[in-house]
Amino acid sequence: MAQQVVVVGLENSGKTILLRRLRQLCSPDNTDSKPQKLSTSTKPTVGCDTLNVYWKENELCFREVGSCLQLRWDKWTSSADTILYLVNSTNETNNECTSSLMGLMDILLSLSSQAKALKVFILFNKFDREEGGIGANDAVDMKIAFQQLLQKYHFDHILNEYDNLVEILCISAVTGLNVGNDDGLLDCLVRNETISWFK
């Protein structure tokens, strides 16, 4: 049975480009070890787009849910095995960062009453960009800054409930950084356990 992976995030977080990258990396025709160049032209997703792929003999069904449906994200996340929450790492300051945090916490709170276990990946996308994100120079700085923001808005206690199920990755859907390489996103999705960064 396919693993159900729901992809959510605010507008311009890179959800559509990520699905394009996943389609390219998982294609049977993909014989090049280097990620191919992708078109970065997109328009906001209206509704839900679906992508079914295989990675290392594991079937994955990705459902990209448009940011315009944020108030109804729980309709899709409630039936998911895994949630990918994308964050635009080049834009996460002040109001935008608060909005991203609120969106993520809404999802986690809606899942708190569920009996089933699932994995949640917070993906800082566009990490190849020179602008950096929330003052971070590398992946470690990004994670530390994110934890500080969680504490600032008193959200860190919520994530403690998901200590073994939440993982943070810094990726680039455009370049393929940390998506299809060893221990990248796809490998994380198909392994049995995630590595909790919050410990």
Side-chain angles (χ1 to χ4, degrees):
M1 181 179 292
Q3 180 182 162
Q4 301 297 315
V5 184
V6 173
V7 183
V8 291
L10 298 185
E11 186 174 342
N12 198 36
S13 58
K15 301 182 296 296
T16 300
I17 300 296
L18 177 60
L19 259 66
R20 286 182 190 168
R21 175 59 67 198
L22 294 169
R23 180 183 289 109
Q24 178 260 313
L25 289 170
C26 297
S27 169
D29 298 328
N30 181 35
T31 57
D32 191 347
S33 60
K34 294 182 180 179
Q36 301 171 4
K37 186 174 182 179
L38 296 179
S39 168
T40 57
S41 175
T42 64
K43 57 183 179 180
T45 300
V46 177
C48 178
D49 286 342
T50 303
L51 171 67
N52 285 79
V53 296
Y54 281 88
W55 181 256
K56 297 184 178 179
E57 300 182 357
N58 295 271
E59 186 178 5
L60 302 166
C61 176
F62 294 92
R63 298 184 186 278
E64 176 198 350
V65 183
S67 57
C68 61
L69 296 175
Q70 182 174 354
L71 295 178
R72 301 185 63 193
W73 277 350
D74 59 335
K75 175 183 176 183
W76 285 271
T77 57
S78 62
S79 60
D81 299 309
T82 304
I83 297 171
L84 305 183
Y85 188 85
L86 269 74
V87 178
N88 180 348
S89 70
T90 66
N91 247 353
E92 295 308 304
T93 57
N94 302 325
N95 292 335
E96 269 201 55
C97 189
T98 303
S99 296
S100 280
L101 288 174
M102 292 296 289
L104 174 60
M105 293 307 116
D106 283 344
I107 289 174
L108 292 179
L109 285 170
S110 71
L111 298 172
S112 61
S113 61
Q114 292 188 31
K116 65 178 290 189
L118 55 84
K119 295 183 283 188
V120 178
F121 290 84
I122 304 170
L123 304 179
F124 284 102
N125 191 24
K126 308 185 182 182
F127 210 68
D128 57 298
R129 301 279 290 275
E130 293 182 357
E131 296 96 308
I134 51 177
N137 295 317
D138 57 33
V140 174
D141 287 345
M142 179 70 77
K143 294 172 182 179
I144 292 172
F146 185 67
Q147 187 180 48
Q148 290 172 345
L149 285 166
L150 291 173
Q151 293 170 346
K152 176 181 177 180
Y153 293 103
H154 308 291
F155 288 145
D156 51 319
H157 69 285
I158 299 174
L159 281 174
N160 288 336
E161 299 178 24
Y162 299 87
D163 189 49
N164 295 317
L165 299 173
V166 175
E167 184 164 355
I168 292 179
L169 292 175
C170 297
I171 70 166
S172 170
V174 171
T175 67
L177 174 71
N178 289 339
V179 179
N181 51 296
D182 290 343
D183 293 324
L185 173 60
L186 283 165
D187 277 2
C188 290
L189 287 174
V190 300
R191 70 189 181 200
N192 292 328
E193 297 179 353
T194 62
I195 300 172
S196 175
W197 175 76
F198 293 100
K199 289 186 177 180

